[in-house]
Amino acid sequence: MTTQKYFPHVNGKMFAENVSLSDIAKQVGTPFYCYSNTAISQNYKDYQQAFSVALVDQEALICYAVKANGNQAVLSTLAKLGSGADVVSEGEIRRARSAGIPANKIVYSGVAKIESEIEYAINEGIFQFNVESEPELELISKVATLLNTTAAIAFRINPDVCAQTHEKISTGKAENKFGVPISKARLAYKQAASLPGIKVQGVDVHIGSQLTQLAPFEEAYKRIAQLVLDLKEDGHDISVIDIGGGLGITYNDEVLPSKQEYAAVAKAQLAQLNCKIVV
């Protein structure tokens, strides 16, 4: 997506699609936020098409990260297109549900889940918890057991891969302190399988934001693929791989990989595992 396409300058004036921002300002005052429905919709459709073509025999779920922008009009636009949601709080679950995103398309990520939020998410029937640590796993087990149900989980795995992006938005190196180190993953899954109220179903990875090269994705997915094989060998029924996100946008003069190229990397490394892919 280029800004010029959806927010062009015409005769010295900036437009949102075909609407003058100056005219909007006269009606509503400033400051205001203006979003392009067409831009949001087209980007979602581009991801959906890229992954449906690359993973023709597998299911792919495209989830919007609500923390990026929780505007209800934005969420409603995506809900109508069939999008899922990646959330990090009860409030974001409520926003997504209010916008029309089904609970079974909601993935609950984030490092600060508390007991009441976990209970709310389980009662809503969300698709999956992306678990950041063993203590969080134990809390989810406790809540699910008290509710006499099970919670589907995936561990967020830190693959120790450099994202080659800004150090402040890199989350996949060992020193970044996100997720379970890949070296300890099999032990973490063994613990999960032993706990009541827990359904082990997936593996999650997210190495950072604003990635402008595909090599870090390729390396991370390669390591995750081997882990999935190891986990299956250990007896775990892994059916979901959440591959995170992070494909960059143009701020200056970055040359970005296409969504089709991104999906092709996921296909090359993960398709043989026959798992549902969450993006």
Side-chain angles (χ1 to χ4, degrees), residues 20 74 109 130 167 201 205 222 226 228 257:
S20 166
V74 171
S109 302
N130 285 346
E167 64 181 42
Q201 78 173 17
V205 64
K222 187 182 298 182
Q226 183 57 55
V228 170

Side-chain angles (χ1 to χ4, degrees), residues 162-171 207-212 216 246:
C162 180
Q164 299 177 32
T165 184
H166 191 283
E167 64 181 42
K168 300 299 184 183
I169 50 176
S170 177
T171 61
I207 61 173
S209 302
Q210 189 54 20
L211 273 74
T212 58

Side-chain angles (χ1 to χ4, degrees), residues 50-249:
F51 278 86
S52 64
V53 170
L55 302 170
V56 64
D57 295 323
Q58 293 167 255
E59 186 179 358
L61 173 62
I62 312 299
C63 287
Y64 175 70
V66 178
K67 66 183 178 182
N69 186 339
N71 182 291
Q72 288 302 116
V74 171
L75 297 180
S76 296
T77 294
L78 289 160
K80 290 170 186 174
L81 292 166
S83 176
D86 180 275
V87 304
V88 296
S89 69
E90 177 182 332
E92 289 188 2
I93 297 174
R94 291 180 180 274
R95 281 186 172 276
R97 297 290 286 122
S98 177
I101 296 175
N104 64 4
K105 288 186 176 182
I106 294 178
V107 175
Y108 193 171
S109 302
V111 298
K113 306 176 186 75
I114 61 174
E115 189 167 336
S116 61
E117 292 181 308
I118 292 168
E119 179 179 351
Y120 179 81
I122 291 174
N123 285 331
E124 280 293 293
I126 66 163
F127 175 67
Q128 177 173 288
F129 288 91
N130 285 346
V131 180
E132 290 272 352
S133 67
E134 291 88 341
E136 181 189 311
L137 172 73
E138 292 168 1
L139 182 58
I140 294 172
S141 170
K142 172 190 169 184
V143 175
T145 302
L146 287 172
L147 294 173
N148 195 32
T149 188
T150 58
I153 69 102
F155 274 108
R156 177 176 178 176
I157 301 301
N158 186 318
D160 195 19
V161 170
C162 180
Q164 299 177 32
T165 184
H166 191 283
E167 64 181 42
K168 300 299 184 183
I169 50 176
S170 177
T171 61
K173 286 287 287 178
E175 60 265 27
N176 294 144
K177 299 182 180 179
F178 284 93
V180 174
I182 195 165
S183 60
K184 297 181 179 179
R186 293 174 84 170
L187 285 174
Y189 276 91
K190 182 178 180 180
Q191 179 189 6
S194 73
L195 290 175
I198 295 295
K199 175 190 174 186
V200 174
Q201 78 173 17
V203 174
D204 167 46
V205 64
H206 176 63
I207 61 173
S209 302
Q210 189 54 20
L211 273 74
T212 58
Q213 301 177 56
L214 293 173
F217 288 121
E218 184 175 22
E219 182 60 30
Y221 299 163
K222 187 182 298 182
R223 296 185 186 188
I224 291 300
Q226 183 57 55
L227 175 61
V228 170
L229 291 174
D230 292 341
L231 292 174
K232 288 187 175 184
E233 187 177 305
D234 291 343
H236 302 291
D237 184 15
I238 303 299
S239 59
V240 177
I241 303 175
D242 184 332
I243 66 171
L247 195 60
I249 62 171

Side-chain angles (χ1 to χ4, degrees), residues 10-77:
V10 180
N11 296 326
K13 289 187 176 182
M14 191 174 189
F15 284 70
E17 300 179 22
N18 295 317
V19 180
S20 166
L21 293 182
S22 297
D23 290 346
I24 296 175
K26 290 174 184 176
Q27 293 182 42
V28 303
T30 59
F32 65 90
Y33 291 96
C34 181
Y35 307 109
S36 166
N37 183 290
T38 302
I40 294 167
S41 299
Q42 190 59 56
N43 270 279
Y44 173 81
K45 290 174 183 176
D46 288 347
Y47 272 107
Q48 187 180 49
Q49 164 119 24
F51 278 86
S52 64
V53 170
L55 302 170
V56 64
D57 295 323
Q58 293 167 255
E59 186 179 358
L61 173 62
I62 312 299
C63 287
Y64 175 70
V66 178
K67 66 183 178 182
N69 186 339
N71 182 291
Q72 288 302 116
V74 171
L75 297 180
S76 296
T77 294

